[in-house]
PDB file of all heavy atoms in Angstrom:
ATOM      1  N   THR A  10      15.599  -0.482  23.064  1.00 98.00           N
ATOM      2  CA  THR A  10      16.722   0.462  23.315  1.00 98.00           C
ATOM      3  C   THR A  10      16.586   1.779  23.535  1.00 98.00           C
ATOM      4  O   THR A  10      17.285   2.483  24.127  1.00 98.00           O
ATOM      5  CB  THR A  10      17.724   0.184  22.039  1.00 98.00           C
ATOM      6  OG1 THR A  10      17.055   0.532  20.907  1.00 98.00           O
ATOM      7  CG2 THR A  10      18.321  -1.300  21.976  1.00 98.00           C
ATOM      8  N   VAL A  11      15.316   2.431  22.984  1.00 98.00           N
ATOM      9  CA  VAL A  11      15.201   3.852  23.167  1.00 98.00           C
ATOM     10  C   VAL A  11      14.969   4.139  24.552  1.00 98.00           C
ATOM     11  O   VAL A  11      14.146   3.475  25.247  1.00 98.00           O
ATOM     12  CB  VAL A  11      13.963   4.272  22.402  1.00 98.00           C
ATOM     13  CG1 VAL A  11      13.469   5.586  22.674  1.00 98.00           C
ATOM     14  CG2 VAL A  11      14.340   4.209  20.731  1.00 98.00           C
ATOM     15  N   ARG A  12      15.608   5.096  25.133  1.00 98.00           N
ATOM     16  CA  ARG A  12      15.470   5.504  26.571  1.00 98.00           C
ATOM     17  C   ARG A  12      14.721   6.709  26.686  1.00 98.00           C
ATOM     18  O   ARG A  12      14.385   7.167  27.825  1.00 98.00           O
ATOM     19  CB  ARG A  12      16.848   5.614  27.059  1.00 98.00           C
ATOM     20  CG  ARG A  12      17.717   4.309  27.214  1.00 98.00           C
ATOM     21  CD  ARG A  12      17.068   3.311  28.247  1.00 98.00           C
ATOM     22  NE  ARG A  12      17.724   2.113  28.341  1.00 98.00           N
ATOM     23  CZ  ARG A  12      17.249   0.919  27.604  1.00 98.00           C
ATOM     24  NH1 ARG A  12      16.213   1.033  26.825  1.00 98.00           N
ATOM     25  NH2 ARG A  12      17.778  -0.164  27.730  1.00 98.00           N
ATOM     26  N   SER A  13      14.382   7.479  25.721  1.00 98.00           N
ATOM     27  CA  SER A  13      13.585   8.705  25.724  1.00 98.00           C
ATOM     28  C   SER A  13      12.094   8.301  25.640  1.00 98.00           C
ATOM     29  O   SER A  13      11.568   7.708  26.377  1.00 98.00           O
ATOM     30  CB  SER A  13      14.095   9.775  24.776  1.00 98.00           C
ATOM     31  OG  SER A  13      14.104   9.213  23.447  1.00 98.00           O
ATOM     32  N   HIS A  14      11.531   8.610  24.393  1.00 98.00           N
ATOM     33  CA  HIS A  14      10.357   8.021  24.100  1.00 98.00           C
ATOM     34  C   HIS A  14      10.293   7.686  22.554  1.00 98.00           C
ATOM     35  O   HIS A  14      10.979   8.260  21.762  1.00 98.00           O
ATOM     36  CB  HIS A  14       9.070   8.816  24.378  1.00 98.00           C
ATOM     37  CG  HIS A  14       9.067  10.197  23.791  1.00 98.00           C
ATOM     38  ND1 HIS A  14       9.416  11.428  24.386  1.00 98.00           N
ATOM     39  CD2 HIS A  14       8.664  10.573  22.475  1.00 98.00           C
ATOM     40  CE1 HIS A  14       9.264  12.396  23.576  1.00 98.00           C
ATOM     41  NE2 HIS A  14       8.876  11.946  22.434  1.00 98.00           N
ATOM     42  N   LEU A  15       9.484   6.728  22.188  1.00 98.00           N
ATOM     43  CA  LEU A  15       9.367   6.257  20.866  1.00 98.00           C
ATOM     44  C   LEU A  15       7.992   6.614  20.238  1.00 98.00           C
ATOM     45  O   LEU A  15       6.920   6.136  20.812  1.00 98.00           O
ATOM     46  CB  LEU A  15       9.583   4.671  20.781  1.00 98.00           C
ATOM     47  CG  LEU A  15       9.471   4.034  19.395  1.00 98.00           C
ATOM     48  CD1 LEU A  15      10.677   4.642  18.444  1.00 98.00           C
ATOM     49  CD2 LEU A  15       9.552   2.463  19.528  1.00 98.00           C
ATOM     50  N   ASN A  16       8.028   7.330  19.140  1.00 98.00           N
ATOM     51  CA  ASN A  16       6.860   7.788  18.490  1.00 98.00           C
ATOM     52  C   ASN A  16       6.717   7.037  17.125  1.00 98.00           C
ATOM     53  O   ASN A  16       7.533   7.204  16.285  1.00 98.00           O
ATOM     54  CB  ASN A  16       6.945   9.356  18.264  1.00 98.00           C
ATOM     55  CG  ASN A  16       5.924   9.820  17.257  1.00 98.00           C
ATOM     56  OD1 ASN A  16       4.693   9.266  17.193  1.00 98.00           O
ATOM     57  ND2 ASN A  16       6.203  10.898  16.637  1.00 98.00           N
ATOM     58  N   LEU A  17       5.701   6.218  17.052  1.00 98.00           N
ATOM     59  CA  LEU A  17       5.584   5.496  15.801  1.00 98.00           C
ATOM     60  C   LEU A  17       4.532   6.173  14.949  1.00 98.00           C
ATOM     61  O   LEU A  17       3.291   6.233  15.250  1.00 98.00           O
ATOM     62  CB  LEU A  17       4.971   4.035  16.105  1.00 98.00           C
ATOM     63  CG  LEU A  17       4.540   3.292  14.973  1.00 98.00           C
ATOM     64  CD1 LEU A  17       5.709   2.972  14.058  1.00 98.00           C
ATOM     65  CD2 LEU A  17       4.011   1.852  15.408  1.00 98.00           C
ATOM     66  N   GLU A  18       4.980   6.658  13.842  1.00 98.00           N
ATOM     67  CA  GLU A  18       4.168   7.165  12.818  1.00 98.00           C
ATOM     68  C   GLU A  18       3.674   6.050  11.930  1.00 98.00           C
ATOM     69  O   GLU A  18       4.394   5.138  11.410  1.00 98.00           O
ATOM     70  CB  GLU A  18       4.907   8.271  11.962  1.00 98.00           C
ATOM     71  CG  GLU A  18       5.379   9.460  12.630  1.00 98.00           C
ATOM     72  CD  GLU A  18       6.018  10.498  11.696  1.00 98.00           C
ATOM     73  OE1 GLU A  18       6.497  10.064  10.591  1.00 98.00           O
ATOM     74  OE2 GLU A  18       6.073  11.602  12.141  1.00 98.00           O
ATOM     75  N   MET A  19       2.309   6.077  11.551  1.00 97.00           N
ATOM     76  CA  MET A  19       1.857   4.969  10.815  1.00 97.00           C
ATOM     77  C   MET A  19       0.433   5.425  10.218  1.00 97.00           C
ATOM     78  O   MET A  19      -0.253   6.334  10.663  1.00 97.00           O
ATOM     79  CB  MET A  19       1.554   3.788  11.673  1.00 97.00           C
ATOM     80  CG  MET A  19       0.438   3.917  12.715  1.00 97.00           C
ATOM     81  SD  MET A  19       0.475   2.507  13.763  1.00 97.00           S
ATOM     82  CE  MET A  19      -1.412   2.605  14.187  1.00 97.00           C
ATOM     83  N   ALA A  20       0.044   4.643   9.126  1.00 96.00           N
ATOM     84  CA  ALA A  20      -1.298   4.813   8.596  1.00 96.00           C
ATOM     85  C   ALA A  20      -2.370   4.179   9.493  1.00 96.00           C
ATOM     86  O   ALA A  20      -2.024   3.164  10.227  1.00 96.00           O
ATOM     87  CB  ALA A  20      -1.300   4.247   7.218  1.00 96.00           C
ATOM     88  N   ALA A  21      -3.616   4.621   9.364  1.00 97.00           N
ATOM     89  CA  ALA A  21      -4.612   4.060  10.294  1.00 97.00           C
ATOM     90  C   ALA A  21      -5.250   2.780   9.561  1.00 97.00           C
ATOM     91  O   ALA A  21      -6.438   2.788   9.156  1.00 97.00           O
ATOM     92  CB  ALA A  21      -5.695   5.069  10.522  1.00 97.00           C
ATOM     93  N   THR A  22      -4.417   1.735   9.493  1.00 96.00           N
ATOM     94  CA  THR A  22      -4.882   0.487   8.879  1.00 96.00           C
ATOM     95  C   THR A  22      -4.881  -0.632   9.965  1.00 96.00           C
ATOM     96  O   THR A  22      -4.076  -0.471  10.914  1.00 96.00           O
ATOM     97  CB  THR A  22      -3.945   0.080   7.698  1.00 96.00           C
ATOM     98  OG1 THR A  22      -2.546  -0.218   8.233  1.00 96.00           O
ATOM     99  CG2 THR A  22      -3.856   1.213   6.692  1.00 96.00           C
ATOM    100  N   PRO A  23      -5.606  -1.632   9.713  1.00 97.00           N
ATOM    101  CA  PRO A  23      -5.623  -2.803  10.575  1.00 97.00           C
ATOM    102  C   PRO A  23      -4.272  -3.498  10.813  1.00 97.00           C
ATOM    103  O   PRO A  23      -3.961  -3.796  11.916  1.00 97.00           O
ATOM    104  CB  PRO A  23      -6.663  -3.769   9.956  1.00 97.00           C
ATOM    105  CG  PRO A  23      -7.524  -2.912   9.123  1.00 97.00           C
ATOM    106  CD  PRO A  23      -6.673  -1.854   8.580  1.00 97.00           C
ATOM    107  N   GLU A  24      -3.508  -3.583   9.879  1.00 97.00           N
ATOM    108  CA  GLU A  24      -2.162  -4.104   9.944  1.00 97.00           C
ATOM    109  C   GLU A  24      -1.253  -3.306  10.899  1.00 97.00           C
ATOM    110  O   GLU A  24      -0.658  -3.815  11.819  1.00 97.00           O
ATOM    111  CB  GLU A  24      -1.485  -4.218   8.642  1.00 97.00           C
ATOM    112  CG  GLU A  24       0.013  -4.698   8.644  1.00 97.00           C
ATOM    113  CD  GLU A  24       0.781  -4.447   7.439  1.00 97.00           C
ATOM    114  OE1 GLU A  24       0.437  -3.489   6.729  1.00 97.00           O
ATOM    115  OE2 GLU A  24       1.921  -5.062   7.280  1.00 97.00           O
ATOM    116  N   MET A  25      -1.291  -1.978  10.738  1.00 97.00           N
ATOM    117  CA  MET A  25      -0.537  -1.042  11.479  1.00 97.00           C
ATOM    118  C   MET A  25      -0.977  -1.030  12.955  1.00 97.00           C
ATOM    119  O   MET A  25      -0.283  -0.970  13.933  1.00 97.00           O
ATOM    120  CB  MET A  25      -0.465   0.335  10.932  1.00 97.00           C
ATOM    121  CG  MET A  25       0.264   0.367   9.632  1.00 97.00           C
ATOM    122  SD  MET A  25       2.025  -0.156   9.827  1.00 97.00           S
ATOM    123  CE  MET A  25       2.461  -0.594   8.157  1.00 97.00           C
ATOM    124  N   VAL A  26      -2.315  -1.045  13.201  1.00 98.00           N
ATOM    125  CA  VAL A  26      -2.940  -1.051  14.438  1.00 98.00           C
ATOM    126  C   VAL A  26      -2.441  -2.283  15.202  1.00 98.00           C
ATOM    127  O   VAL A  26      -2.048  -2.256  16.345  1.00 98.00           O
ATOM    128  CB  VAL A  26      -4.401  -1.006  14.471  1.00 98.00           C
ATOM    129  CG1 VAL A  26      -5.053  -1.234  15.833  1.00 98.00           C
ATOM    130  CG2 VAL A  26      -4.876   0.340  13.935  1.00 98.00           C
ATOM    131  N   ALA A  27      -2.409  -3.457  14.556  1.00 98.00           N
ATOM    132  CA  ALA A  27      -2.024  -4.759  15.158  1.00 98.00           C
ATOM    133  C   ALA A  27      -0.582  -4.661  15.593  1.00 98.00           C
ATOM    134  O   ALA A  27      -0.206  -5.000  16.642  1.00 98.00           O
ATOM    135  CB  ALA A  27      -2.255  -5.928  14.235  1.00 98.00           C
ATOM    136  N   ILE A  28       0.275  -4.011  14.710  1.00 98.00           N
ATOM    137  CA  ILE A  28       1.712  -3.947  15.080  1.00 98.00           C
ATOM    138  C   ILE A  28       1.868  -3.000  16.220  1.00 98.00           C
ATOM    139  O   ILE A  28       2.644  -3.329  17.145  1.00 98.00           O
ATOM    140  CB  ILE A  28       2.473  -3.353  13.847  1.00 98.00           C
ATOM    141  CG1 ILE A  28       2.574  -4.437  12.728  1.00 98.00           C
ATOM    142  CG2 ILE A  28       3.892  -2.924  14.225  1.00 98.00           C
ATOM    143  CD1 ILE A  28       3.066  -3.880  11.457  1.00 98.00           C
ATOM    144  N   ALA A  29       1.149  -1.950  16.229  1.00 98.00           N
ATOM    145  CA  ALA A  29       1.315  -1.001  17.405  1.00 98.00           C
ATOM    146  C   ALA A  29       0.864  -1.596  18.708  1.00 98.00           C
ATOM    147  O   ALA A  29       1.513  -1.421  19.744  1.00 98.00           O
ATOM    148  CB  ALA A  29       0.491   0.357  17.108  1.00 98.00           C
ATOM    149  N   LEU A  30      -0.197  -2.358  18.675  1.00 98.00           N
ATOM    150  CA  LEU A  30      -0.781  -3.040  19.879  1.00 98.00           C
ATOM    151  C   LEU A  30       0.333  -4.079  20.350  1.00 98.00           C
ATOM    152  O   LEU A  30       0.332  -4.297  21.566  1.00 98.00           O
ATOM    153  CB  LEU A  30      -2.092  -3.733  19.634  1.00 98.00           C
ATOM    154  CG  LEU A  30      -3.297  -2.623  19.385  1.00 98.00           C
ATOM    155  CD1 LEU A  30      -4.432  -3.432  18.963  1.00 98.00           C
ATOM    156  CD2 LEU A  30      -3.483  -1.904  20.609  1.00 98.00           C
ATOM    157  N   ASP A  31       1.047  -4.628  19.458  1.00 98.00           N
ATOM    158  CA  ASP A  31       1.943  -5.668  19.782  1.00 98.00           C
ATOM    159  C   ASP A  31       3.262  -4.925  20.410  1.00 98.00           C
ATOM    160  O   ASP A  31       3.736  -5.405  21.454  1.00 98.00           O
ATOM    161  CB  ASP A  31       2.409  -6.559  18.656  1.00 98.00           C
ATOM    162  CG  ASP A  31       3.411  -7.579  18.911  1.00 98.00           C
ATOM    163  OD1 ASP A  31       3.345  -8.163  19.946  1.00 98.00           O
ATOM    164  OD2 ASP A  31       4.383  -7.733  18.050  1.00 98.00           O
ATOM    165  N   LEU A  32       3.758  -3.941  19.703  1.00 97.00           N
ATOM    166  CA  LEU A  32       4.993  -3.344  20.196  1.00 97.00           C
ATOM    167  C   LEU A  32       4.919  -2.222  21.218  1.00 97.00           C
ATOM    168  O   LEU A  32       5.903  -1.888  21.939  1.00 97.00           O
ATOM    169  CB  LEU A  32       5.683  -2.708  18.940  1.00 97.00           C
ATOM    170  CG  LEU A  32       6.190  -3.673  17.871  1.00 97.00           C
ATOM    171  CD1 LEU A  32       6.719  -2.954  16.656  1.00 97.00           C
ATOM    172  CD2 LEU A  32       7.302  -4.504  18.443  1.00 97.00           C
ATOM    173  N   ARG A  33       3.765  -1.626  21.375  1.00 98.00           N
ATOM    174  CA  ARG A  33       3.430  -0.692  22.333  1.00 98.00           C
ATOM    175  C   ARG A  33       4.392   0.508  22.400  1.00 98.00           C
ATOM    176  O   ARG A  33       5.166   0.663  23.409  1.00 98.00           O
ATOM    177  CB  ARG A  33       3.264  -1.394  23.843  1.00 98.00           C
ATOM    178  CG  ARG A  33       2.220  -2.424  23.733  1.00 98.00           C
ATOM    179  CD  ARG A  33       1.920  -2.871  25.116  1.00 98.00           C
ATOM    180  NE  ARG A  33       1.330  -1.943  25.922  1.00 98.00           N
ATOM    181  CZ  ARG A  33       0.040  -1.553  25.933  1.00 98.00           C
ATOM    182  NH1 ARG A  33      -0.744  -2.229  25.052  1.00 98.00           N
ATOM    183  NH2 ARG A  33      -0.382  -0.659  26.668  1.00 98.00           N
ATOM    184  N   PRO A  34       4.493   1.301  21.356  1.00 98.00           N
ATOM    185  CA  PRO A  34       5.282   2.554  21.417  1.00 98.00           C
ATOM    186  C   PRO A  34       4.747   3.452  22.506  1.00 98.00           C
ATOM    187  O   PRO A  34       3.663   3.329  22.939  1.00 98.00           O
ATOM    188  CB  PRO A  34       5.230   3.151  19.977  1.00 98.00           C
ATOM    189  CG  PRO A  34       3.813   2.631  19.481  1.00 98.00           C
ATOM    190  CD  PRO A  34       3.678   1.181  20.068  1.00 98.00           C
ATOM    191  N   ASP A  35       5.572   4.455  22.737  1.00 98.00           N
ATOM    192  CA  ASP A  35       5.115   5.470  23.807  1.00 98.00           C
ATOM    193  C   ASP A  35       3.963   6.277  23.256  1.00 98.00           C
ATOM    194  O   ASP A  35       3.092   6.664  24.020  1.00 98.00           O
ATOM    195  CB  ASP A  35       6.305   6.322  24.183  1.00 98.00           C
ATOM    196  CG  ASP A  35       7.352   5.557  24.964  1.00 98.00           C
ATOM    197  OD1 ASP A  35       7.032   5.007  26.003  1.00 98.00           O
ATOM    198  OD2 ASP A  35       8.459   5.402  24.430  1.00 98.00           O
ATOM    199  N   TYR A  36       3.900   6.565  22.057  1.00 97.00           N
ATOM    200  CA  TYR A  36       2.686   7.047  21.418  1.00 97.00           C
ATOM    201  C   TYR A  36       2.669   6.833  19.926  1.00 97.00           C
ATOM    202  O   TYR A  36       3.746   6.480  19.344  1.00 97.00           O
ATOM    203  CB  TYR A  36       2.288   8.534  21.765  1.00 97.00           C
ATOM    204  CG  TYR A  36       3.200   9.590  21.210  1.00 97.00           C
ATOM    205  CD1 TYR A  36       2.930  10.312  20.026  1.00 97.00           C
ATOM    206  CD2 TYR A  36       4.449   9.974  21.856  1.00 97.00           C
ATOM    207  CE1 TYR A  36       3.714  11.337  19.592  1.00 97.00           C
ATOM    208  CE2 TYR A  36       5.206  10.993  21.308  1.00 97.00           C
ATOM    209  CZ  TYR A  36       4.794  11.673  20.228  1.00 97.00           C
ATOM    210  OH  TYR A  36       5.621  12.760  19.747  1.00 97.00           O
ATOM    211  N   VAL A  37       1.539   6.888  19.279  1.00 98.00           N
ATOM    212  CA  VAL A  37       1.372   6.688  17.903  1.00 98.00           C
ATOM    213  C   VAL A  37       0.955   8.070  17.268  1.00 98.00           C
ATOM    214  O   VAL A  37       0.121   8.691  17.715  1.00 98.00           O
ATOM    215  CB  VAL A  37       0.383   5.543  17.622  1.00 98.00           C
ATOM    216  CG1 VAL A  37      -0.258   5.745  16.174  1.00 98.00           C
ATOM    217  CG2 VAL A  37       0.936   4.144  17.830  1.00 98.00           C
TER     218      VAL A  37
END
């Protein structure tokens, strides 16, 4: 739904990396 850009803040853990790779935010 976001029409601007989506910035995902997260810890540098394997779980979060996997989520980011799946969801593909505009940047992390």
